[in-house]
Structure formats: structure tokens, C-alpha cells
Amino acid sequence: MTDNAKYDQMAVIMKAMAHPTRLFILDKLSEKEHCVCELQELIGADMSTVSKHLSVLKNAGIIDNRKQNNQVFYSLICPCVLDVYQCVIEVNKLKKY
Amino acid sequence: MTDNAKYDQMAVIMKAMAHPTRLFILDKLSEKEHCVCELQELIGADMSTVSKHLSVLKNAGIIDNRKQNNQVFYSLICPCVLDVYQCVIEVNKLKKY
DNA sequence: TGGCTATTTGGCGAAATAGGAAAATAGAAG
DNA sequence: CTTCTATTTTCCTATTTCGCCAAATAGCCA
């Protein structure tokens, strides 16, 4: 399999996005930045769980964060993530069951 | 978390793509259709492993197949998968280490 | 029918992922 | 300095994913 590393790197990013909660987070962040507690409220899971999802996205290089007082605000780095959404939605529409 | 099912469905498709070998397969199929044995040759893994990767992609509705004699040819259903590639590559470029 | 080739399926152990609880950390505020 | 709040990290357990092997299946062709 040629150029192994290329696909490994891509898989890291895709894997980071491949979770319902993380897709939800990205969707929210595409509108505006949010702090962890806002996202936790919207998601309804344990704060530590939300924090871990955020760090997965951060490590993959998809989102960034900034600290303001004792809150951490997360934001989307690359808006092209929305293109991915479009494609996935299209694949779903074409799907035969 | 509103509209839970939407993100679940999206995650199924993203998860199916989120593996180096499957990304490689999609890349190959974006050029032209391939039978399982051709892909197996390119990938170098066990035939059963390749077959399972293909069935993951098929179940997600990303690829389709047709039988010709005793071979099975797989092909991409939706070319927009390449847009996803573009985005992932862009995210990688922006990545700070 | 029987053999041959291509592919899929089932099973199993190893590794990765998920999520809650509790502990650790960071910074603001009293 | 102590407390409080927001967040992250660690620990533990349950579940899922991965990849090989062996067995099953499907469709040719003699």
C-alpha cells in the first residue's frame, strides 16, 4: 500500500469526526465558538466526557481553543468541515436500504 | 442533544471512512472500479480482511458492487467523497504540532 | 458431479474507544 | 491563603474494532 502515512494521517482526522457527539459539537462550533459548559449543557453527558471529545478534535487539528477567565472556548479551525457534512448527507440520501 | 438520529447516521458513514485501508480503497475506486483481488494485491492484507473492509463501506452506502463471472467489482457511488479528501488534506496542512 | 477460483462469513485474541466517577489542575474572587 | 468554578486527567469497566485463520459459499468449466 503506497504512501501509507498519508492515509494514516487522514484516518486520524476522519476518526476524530466519526462520532455522533463530536459531529454535533462541530455543527455547533460552525455557528460560533462555545465554552465547554455550554456544550455540556447541549449534549447532556458528563463534563469529563465532553472534555475528552473536545481534546480528540483538538489533537486531530480540527478545532482550537482559547482561555478566558476560567472558561475555555473552542472554535472551528477549518470551515471546510461543513463540506464534509454536505457529502455525508448526500451519501445518506443516495443510500438504498 | 437535538436531532440525535441525524448525527448517528452521519457517524456511521464517517466511521466507515475512518480507516487507513478504507481511505486507500476509496482513493483507488475514485479512479475506476476494482475487483476484490486487485485491491487485495494493492493492499497486501488477507483477502478476508479486504472483503470485510469493503462490506463496511458497502453497508454505509458509500460503494456498490456488481458480479461478473466469479469476480465482484466494487465502485464508488458518490464522487463527493473526494471533497472529503480535500478537506481532510487541508485540515492536515493547517495543523500545528 | 467434482474441481477450481474468487469471495464472504464466523470465531478468536489483541488493541482501541467510550463514558462515568473521582482526583488533579488552573485561575478568579473573597 | 482558602474557596469556588471550570476544565482536564486518571482509573476502571464495557463495548467495539481489527486482522488473521479456517470454514462456508458462489459461480465457472471440464
mmCIF file of all heavy atoms in Angstrom, chain A residues 15 19 22 45-46 48-49 52-53 69, chain C residues 16-22 26-28:
data_model
loop_
_atom_site.group_PDB
_atom_site.id
_atom_site.type_symbol
_atom_site.label_atom_id
_atom_site.label_comp_id
_atom_site.label_asym_id
_atom_site.label_seq_id
_atom_site.Cartn_x
_atom_site.Cartn_y
_atom_site.Cartn_z
ATOM 1 N N LYS A 15 -11.361 9.762 11.925
ATOM 2 C CA LYS A 15 -11.752 9.076 13.157
ATOM 3 C C LYS A 15 -12.227 10.081 14.197
ATOM 4 O O LYS A 15 -13.182 9.837 14.924
ATOM 5 C CB LYS A 15 -10.568 8.287 13.720
ATOM 6 C CG LYS A 15 -10.724 6.795 13.589
ATOM 7 C CD LYS A 15 -9.552 6.074 14.255
ATOM 8 C CE LYS A 15 -8.931 5.112 13.271
ATOM 9 N NZ LYS A 15 -7.744 4.422 13.746
ATOM 10 N N HIS A 19 -17.932 10.362 15.245
ATOM 11 C CA HIS A 19 -18.681 10.064 16.468
ATOM 12 C C HIS A 19 -19.842 11.056 16.553
ATOM 13 O O HIS A 19 -19.626 12.250 16.375
ATOM 14 C CB HIS A 19 -17.754 10.204 17.682
ATOM 15 C CG HIS A 19 -18.377 9.747 18.960
ATOM 16 N ND1 HIS A 19 -19.376 10.460 19.584
ATOM 17 C CD2 HIS A 19 -18.163 8.654 19.717
ATOM 18 C CE1 HIS A 19 -19.735 9.814 20.680
ATOM 19 N NE2 HIS A 19 -19.022 8.718 20.775
ATOM 20 N N ARG A 22 -19.302 14.160 18.584
ATOM 21 C CA ARG A 22 -18.300 15.070 18.018
ATOM 22 C C ARG A 22 -18.820 15.750 16.760
ATOM 23 O O ARG A 22 -18.489 16.917 16.491
ATOM 24 C CB ARG A 22 -16.987 14.318 17.776
ATOM 25 C CG ARG A 22 -16.368 13.842 19.095
ATOM 26 C CD ARG A 22 -14.912 13.483 18.977
ATOM 27 N NE ARG A 22 -14.653 12.258 18.254
ATOM 28 C CZ ARG A 22 -14.506 11.065 18.831
ATOM 29 N NH1 ARG A 22 -14.606 10.928 20.143
ATOM 30 N NH2 ARG A 22 -14.252 10.004 18.106
ATOM 31 N N ALA A 45 -24.141 15.041 28.520
ATOM 32 C CA ALA A 45 -23.284 13.978 29.056
ATOM 33 C C ALA A 45 -22.423 14.552 30.170
ATOM 34 O O ALA A 45 -22.471 15.745 30.467
ATOM 35 C CB ALA A 45 -22.405 13.397 27.950
ATOM 36 N N ASP A 46 -21.633 13.705 30.776
ATOM 37 C CA ASP A 46 -20.710 14.116 31.817
ATOM 38 C C ASP A 46 -19.727 15.158 31.261
ATOM 39 O O ASP A 46 -19.315 15.091 30.111
ATOM 40 C CB ASP A 46 -19.928 12.878 32.272
ATOM 41 C CG ASP A 46 -19.252 13.086 33.608
ATOM 42 O OD1 ASP A 46 -18.206 13.744 33.636
ATOM 43 O OD2 ASP A 46 -19.799 12.594 34.607
ATOM 44 N N SER A 48 -16.671 15.525 31.906
ATOM 45 C CA SER A 48 -15.387 14.906 31.543
ATOM 46 C C SER A 48 -15.476 14.233 30.171
ATOM 47 O O SER A 48 -14.512 14.232 29.409
ATOM 48 C CB SER A 48 -14.972 13.884 32.599
ATOM 49 O OG SER A 48 -15.792 12.748 32.571
ATOM 50 N N THR A 49 -16.629 13.697 29.881
ATOM 51 C CA THR A 49 -16.839 13.064 28.574
ATOM 52 C C THR A 49 -16.753 14.109 27.463
ATOM 53 O O THR A 49 -16.064 13.919 26.458
ATOM 54 C CB THR A 49 -18.208 12.369 28.525
ATOM 55 O OG1 THR A 49 -18.255 11.376 29.546
ATOM 56 C CG2 THR A 49 -18.457 11.721 27.182
ATOM 57 N N LYS A 52 -13.268 15.269 26.926
ATOM 58 C CA LYS A 52 -12.463 14.302 26.187
ATOM 59 C C LYS A 52 -12.770 14.340 24.688
ATOM 60 O O LYS A 52 -11.863 14.240 23.863
ATOM 61 C CB LYS A 52 -12.669 12.900 26.747
ATOM 62 C CG LYS A 52 -11.683 12.596 27.865
ATOM 63 C CD LYS A 52 -11.794 11.185 28.385
ATOM 64 C CE LYS A 52 -12.767 11.083 29.523
ATOM 65 N NZ LYS A 52 -12.806 9.758 30.161
ATOM 66 N N HIS A 53 -14.036 14.492 24.358
ATOM 67 C CA HIS A 53 -14.391 14.608 22.938
ATOM 68 C C HIS A 53 -13.704 15.832 22.332
ATOM 69 O O HIS A 53 -13.173 15.778 21.225
ATOM 70 C CB HIS A 53 -15.904 14.738 22.776
ATOM 71 C CG HIS A 53 -16.634 13.439 22.908
ATOM 72 N ND1 HIS A 53 -16.283 12.304 22.199
ATOM 73 C CD2 HIS A 53 -17.699 13.078 23.657
ATOM 74 C CE1 HIS A 53 -17.104 11.312 22.516
ATOM 75 N NE2 HIS A 53 -17.968 11.747 23.408
ATOM 76 N N ASN A 69 -10.763 33.991 31.367
ATOM 77 C CA ASN A 69 -11.018 33.759 32.784
ATOM 78 C C ASN A 69 -10.888 32.265 33.075
ATOM 79 O O ASN A 69 -9.889 31.680 32.689
ATOM 80 C CB ASN A 69 -12.388 34.297 33.190
ATOM 81 C CG ASN A 69 -12.457 35.801 33.003
ATOM 82 O OD1 ASN A 69 -11.447 36.489 33.153
ATOM 83 N ND2 ASN A 69 -13.615 36.310 32.647
ATOM 84 P P DA C 16 -3.577 -0.023 20.327
ATOM 85 O OP1 DA C 16 -2.681 0.752 19.457
ATOM 86 O OP2 DA C 16 -3.340 -0.105 21.781
ATOM 87 O "O5'" DA C 16 -5.059 0.506 20.091
ATOM 88 C "C5'" DA C 16 -5.638 0.403 18.796
ATOM 89 C "C4'" DA C 16 -7.059 0.929 18.846
ATOM 90 O "O4'" DA C 16 -7.871 0.040 19.636
ATOM 91 C "C3'" DA C 16 -7.193 2.324 19.476
ATOM 92 O "O3'" DA C 16 -8.060 3.105 18.662
ATOM 93 C "C2'" DA C 16 -7.778 2.033 20.854
ATOM 94 C "C1'" DA C 16 -8.594 0.778 20.595
ATOM 95 N N9 DA C 16 -8.769 -0.103 21.750
ATOM 96 C C8 DA C 16 -7.795 -0.627 22.562
ATOM 97 N N7 DA C 16 -8.260 -1.408 23.507
ATOM 98 C C5 DA C 16 -9.627 -1.400 23.299
ATOM 99 C C6 DA C 16 -10.692 -2.037 23.969
ATOM 100 N N6 DA C 16 -10.533 -2.840 25.016
ATOM 101 N N1 DA C 16 -11.939 -1.816 23.501
ATOM 102 C C2 DA C 16 -12.106 -1.014 22.434
ATOM 103 N N3 DA C 16 -11.184 -0.364 21.727
ATOM 104 C C4 DA C 16 -9.948 -0.602 22.217
ATOM 105 P P DT C 17 -8.393 4.590 19.076
ATOM 106 O OP1 DT C 17 -8.611 5.369 17.838
ATOM 107 O OP2 DT C 17 -7.436 5.020 20.105
ATOM 108 O "O5'" DT C 17 -9.814 4.395 19.767
ATOM 109 C "C5'" DT C 17 -10.845 3.762 19.047
ATOM 110 C "C4'" DT C 17 -12.138 3.853 19.833
ATOM 111 O "O4'" DT C 17 -12.118 2.898 20.901
ATOM 112 C "C3'" DT C 17 -12.398 5.223 20.457
ATOM 113 O "O3'" DT C 17 -13.735 5.598 20.136
ATOM 114 C "C2'" DT C 17 -12.184 4.982 21.952
ATOM 115 C "C1'" DT C 17 -12.570 3.516 22.075
ATOM 116 N N1 DT C 17 -11.963 2.744 23.195
ATOM 117 C C2 DT C 17 -12.786 1.959 23.966
ATOM 118 O O2 DT C 17 -13.993 1.889 23.783
ATOM 119 N N3 DT C 17 -12.167 1.252 24.960
ATOM 120 C C4 DT C 17 -10.812 1.261 25.246
ATOM 121 O O4 DT C 17 -10.371 0.572 26.168
ATOM 122 C C5 DT C 17 -9.995 2.103 24.397
ATOM 123 C C7 DT C 17 -8.526 2.170 24.634
ATOM 124 C C6 DT C 17 -10.603 2.793 23.420
ATOM 125 P P DA C 18 -14.409 6.906 20.734
ATOM 126 O OP1 DA C 18 -15.390 7.370 19.759
ATOM 127 O OP2 DA C 18 -13.341 7.798 21.229
ATOM 128 O "O5'" DA C 18 -15.195 6.324 21.979
ATOM 129 C "C5'" DA C 18 -16.285 5.441 21.768
ATOM 130 C "C4'" DA C 18 -17.114 5.352 23.030
ATOM 131 O "O4'" DA C 18 -16.415 4.536 23.974
ATOM 132 C "C3'" DA C 18 -17.372 6.704 23.699
ATOM 133 O "O3'" DA C 18 -18.706 6.771 24.143
ATOM 134 C "C2'" DA C 18 -16.384 6.720 24.847
ATOM 135 C "C1'" DA C 18 -16.247 5.240 25.184
ATOM 136 N N9 DA C 18 -14.938 4.866 25.710
ATOM 137 C C8 DA C 18 -13.714 5.285 25.281
ATOM 138 N N7 DA C 18 -12.710 4.771 25.952
ATOM 139 C C5 DA C 18 -13.319 3.949 26.879
ATOM 140 C C6 DA C 18 -12.809 3.124 27.891
ATOM 141 N N6 DA C 18 -11.508 2.982 28.131
ATOM 142 N N1 DA C 18 -13.683 2.438 28.634
ATOM 143 C C2 DA C 18 -14.997 2.579 28.400
ATOM 144 N N3 DA C 18 -15.601 3.333 27.474
ATOM 145 C C4 DA C 18 -14.692 3.996 26.748
ATOM 146 P P DG C 19 -19.336 8.169 24.492
ATOM 147 O OP1 DG C 19 -20.487 8.322 23.585
ATOM 148 O OP2 DG C 19 -18.250 9.174 24.524
ATOM 149 O "O5'" DG C 19 -19.873 8.012 25.973
ATOM 150 C "C5'" DG C 19 -20.145 6.730 26.523
ATOM 151 C "C4'" DG C 19 -20.016 6.773 28.029
ATOM 152 O "O4'" DG C 19 -18.720 6.238 28.411
ATOM 153 C "C3'" DG C 19 -20.070 8.180 28.625
ATOM 154 O "O3'" DG C 19 -20.806 8.131 29.834
ATOM 155 C "C2'" DG C 19 -18.619 8.518 28.898
ATOM 156 C "C1'" DG C 19 -18.089 7.149 29.278
ATOM 157 N N9 DG C 19 -16.648 6.991 29.152
ATOM 158 C C8 DG C 19 -15.815 7.640 28.276
ATOM 159 N N7 DG C 19 -14.558 7.297 28.419
ATOM 160 C C5 DG C 19 -14.558 6.364 29.449
ATOM 161 C C6 DG C 19 -13.495 5.640 30.049
ATOM 162 O O6 DG C 19 -12.294 5.684 29.779
ATOM 163 N N1 DG C 19 -13.948 4.802 31.062
ATOM 164 C C2 DG C 19 -15.251 4.673 31.446
ATOM 165 N N2 DG C 19 -15.485 3.819 32.431
ATOM 166 N N3 DG C 19 -16.252 5.340 30.896
ATOM 167 C C4 DG C 19 -15.844 6.168 29.910
ATOM 168 P P DG C 20 -21.553 9.375 30.443
ATOM 169 O OP1 DG C 20 -22.963 9.299 30.060
ATOM 170 O OP2 DG C 20 -20.763 10.583 30.155
ATOM 171 O "O5'" DG C 20 -21.441 9.070 32.006
ATOM 172 C "C5'" DG C 20 -21.875 7.797 32.495
ATOM 173 C "C4'" DG C 20 -21.082 7.420 33.733
ATOM 174 O "O4'" DG C 20 -19.718 7.136 33.359
ATOM 175 C "C3'" DG C 20 -21.026 8.526 34.792
ATOM 176 O "O3'" DG C 20 -21.337 7.962 36.063
ATOM 177 C "C2'" DG C 20 -19.588 9.037 34.727
ATOM 178 C "C1'" DG C 20 -18.823 7.820 34.220
ATOM 179 N N9 DG C 20 -17.639 8.146 33.444
ATOM 180 C C8 DG C 20 -17.554 8.983 32.357
ATOM 181 N N7 DG C 20 -16.345 9.072 31.869
ATOM 182 C C5 DG C 20 -15.581 8.249 32.678
ATOM 183 C C6 DG C 20 -14.194 7.948 32.629
ATOM 184 O O6 DG C 20 -13.346 8.364 31.836
ATOM 185 N N1 DG C 20 -13.831 7.075 33.635
ATOM 186 C C2 DG C 20 -14.681 6.547 34.572
ATOM 187 N N2 DG C 20 -14.148 5.711 35.467
ATOM 188 N N3 DG C 20 -15.984 6.811 34.628
ATOM 189 C C4 DG C 20 -16.363 7.672 33.652
ATOM 190 P P DA C 21 -21.547 8.882 37.325
ATOM 191 O OP1 DA C 21 -22.704 8.320 38.057
ATOM 192 O OP2 DA C 21 -21.554 10.297 36.905
ATOM 193 O "O5'" DA C 21 -20.229 8.637 38.188
ATOM 194 C "C5'" DA C 21 -19.867 7.301 38.543
ATOM 195 C "C4'" DA C 21 -18.590 7.331 39.357
ATOM 196 O "O4'" DA C 21 -17.462 7.512 38.468
ATOM 197 C "C3'" DA C 21 -18.536 8.481 40.368
ATOM 198 O "O3'" DA C 21 -17.995 8.006 41.601
ATOM 199 C "C2'" DA C 21 -17.633 9.505 39.705
ATOM 200 C "C1'" DA C 21 -16.699 8.628 38.862
ATOM 201 N N9 DA C 21 -16.226 9.282 37.648
ATOM 202 C C8 DA C 21 -16.939 10.061 36.788
ATOM 203 N N7 DA C 21 -16.240 10.512 35.765
ATOM 204 C C5 DA C 21 -14.979 9.987 35.982
ATOM 205 C C6 DA C 21 -13.773 10.093 35.259
ATOM 206 N N6 DA C 21 -13.654 10.791 34.127
ATOM 207 N N1 DA C 21 -12.697 9.455 35.744
ATOM 208 C C2 DA C 21 -12.818 8.752 36.880
ATOM 209 N N3 DA C 21 -13.891 8.578 37.651
ATOM 210 C C4 DA C 21 -14.952 9.229 37.135
ATOM 211 P P DA C 22 -17.848 9.023 42.835
ATOM 212 O OP1 DA C 22 -18.211 8.265 44.049
ATOM 213 O OP2 DA C 22 -18.534 10.294 42.497
ATOM 214 O "O5'" DA C 22 -16.275 9.299 42.860
ATOM 215 C "C5'" DA C 22 -15.360 8.215 42.662
ATOM 216 C "C4'" DA C 22 -13.955 8.767 42.556
ATOM 217 O "O4'" DA C 22 -13.755 9.311 41.233
ATOM 218 C "C3'" DA C 22 -13.673 9.911 43.539
ATOM 219 O "O3'" DA C 22 -12.336 9.770 44.019
ATOM 220 C "C2'" DA C 22 -13.819 11.144 42.666
ATOM 221 C "C1'" DA C 22 -13.257 10.633 41.343
ATOM 222 N N9 DA C 22 -13.676 11.365 40.160
ATOM 223 C C8 DA C 22 -14.909 11.891 39.878
ATOM 224 N N7 DA C 22 -14.970 12.505 38.722
ATOM 225 C C5 DA C 22 -13.686 12.377 38.209
ATOM 226 C C6 DA C 22 -13.093 12.816 37.011
ATOM 227 N N6 DA C 22 -13.750 13.508 36.071
ATOM 228 N N1 DA C 22 -11.799 12.518 36.810
ATOM 229 C C2 DA C 22 -11.139 11.829 37.744
ATOM 230 N N3 DA C 22 -11.596 11.361 38.916
ATOM 231 C C4 DA C 22 -12.884 11.673 39.086
ATOM 232 P P DA C 26 -1.729 23.411 36.710
ATOM 233 O OP1 DA C 26 -0.771 23.418 35.586
ATOM 234 O OP2 DA C 26 -1.268 23.642 38.097
ATOM 235 O "O5'" DA C 26 -2.874 24.466 36.397
ATOM 236 C "C5'" DA C 26 -3.750 24.269 35.282
ATOM 237 C "C4'" DA C 26 -4.602 25.509 35.130
ATOM 238 O "O4'" DA C 26 -5.811 25.344 35.907
ATOM 239 C "C3'" DA C 26 -3.918 26.768 35.647
ATOM 240 O "O3'" DA C 26 -4.203 27.856 34.784
ATOM 241 C "C2'" DA C 26 -4.518 26.961 37.027
ATOM 242 C "C1'" DA C 26 -5.923 26.386 36.854
ATOM 243 N N9 DA C 26 -6.495 25.803 38.055
ATOM 244 C C8 DA C 26 -5.859 25.078 39.027
ATOM 245 N N7 DA C 26 -6.647 24.676 39.992
ATOM 246 C C5 DA C 26 -7.889 25.165 39.626
ATOM 247 C C6 DA C 26 -9.158 25.083 40.238
ATOM 248 N N6 DA C 26 -9.399 24.436 41.379
ATOM 249 N N1 DA C 26 -10.192 25.682 39.615
ATOM 250 C C2 DA C 26 -9.968 26.323 38.466
ATOM 251 N N3 DA C 26 -8.819 26.470 37.796
ATOM 252 C C4 DA C 26 -7.812 25.858 38.438
ATOM 253 P P DG C 27 -3.408 29.243 34.962
ATOM 254 O OP1 DG C 27 -2.860 29.653 33.654
ATOM 255 O OP2 DG C 27 -2.535 29.126 36.148
ATOM 256 O "O5'" DG C 27 -4.610 30.207 35.314
ATOM 257 C "C5'" DG C 27 -5.822 30.136 34.559
ATOM 258 C "C4'" DG C 27 -6.940 30.750 35.364
ATOM 259 O "O4'" DG C 27 -7.300 29.877 36.458
ATOM 260 C "C3'" DG C 27 -6.562 32.096 35.983
ATOM 261 O "O3'" DG C 27 -7.619 33.010 35.721
ATOM 262 C "C2'" DG C 27 -6.466 31.798 37.478
ATOM 263 C "C1'" DG C 27 -7.467 30.669 37.623
ATOM 264 N N9 DG C 27 -7.292 29.804 38.775
ATOM 265 C C8 DG C 27 -6.125 29.247 39.246
ATOM 266 N N7 DG C 27 -6.307 28.512 40.319
ATOM 267 C C5 DG C 27 -7.673 28.598 40.565
ATOM 268 C C6 DG C 27 -8.466 28.028 41.597
ATOM 269 O O6 DG C 27 -8.102 27.300 42.524
ATOM 270 N N1 DG C 27 -9.804 28.374 41.470
ATOM 271 C C2 DG C 27 -10.319 29.169 40.484
ATOM 272 N N2 DG C 27 -11.626 29.391 40.524
ATOM 273 N N3 DG C 27 -9.599 29.715 39.522
ATOM 274 C C4 DG C 27 -8.290 29.388 39.620
ATOM 275 P P DA C 28 -7.491 34.544 36.050
ATOM 276 O OP1 DA C 28 -7.687 35.316 34.813
ATOM 277 O OP2 DA C 28 -6.300 34.764 36.889
ATOM 278 O "O5'" DA C 28 -8.799 34.722 36.939
ATOM 279 C "C5'" DA C 28 -10.046 34.213 36.437
ATOM 280 C "C4'" DA C 28 -11.116 34.373 37.501
ATOM 281 O "O4'" DA C 28 -10.905 33.408 38.550
ATOM 282 C "C3'" DA C 28 -11.115 35.746 38.171
ATOM 283 O "O3'" DA C 28 -12.469 36.147 38.388
ATOM 284 C "C2'" DA C 28 -10.376 35.509 39.479
ATOM 285 C "C1'" DA C 28 -10.735 34.058 39.789
ATOM 286 N N9 DA C 28 -9.702 33.315 40.498
ATOM 287 C C8 DA C 28 -8.366 33.234 40.197
ATOM 288 N N7 DA C 28 -7.675 32.457 41.010
ATOM 289 C C5 DA C 28 -8.636 32.002 41.901
ATOM 290 C C6 DA C 28 -8.551 31.140 43.015
ATOM 291 N N6 DA C 28 -7.422 30.552 43.416
ATOM 292 N N1 DA C 28 -9.687 30.887 43.695
ATOM 293 C C2 DA C 28 -10.824 31.456 43.285
ATOM 294 N N3 DA C 28 -11.031 32.281 42.253
ATOM 295 C C4 DA C 28 -9.880 32.512 41.599
#
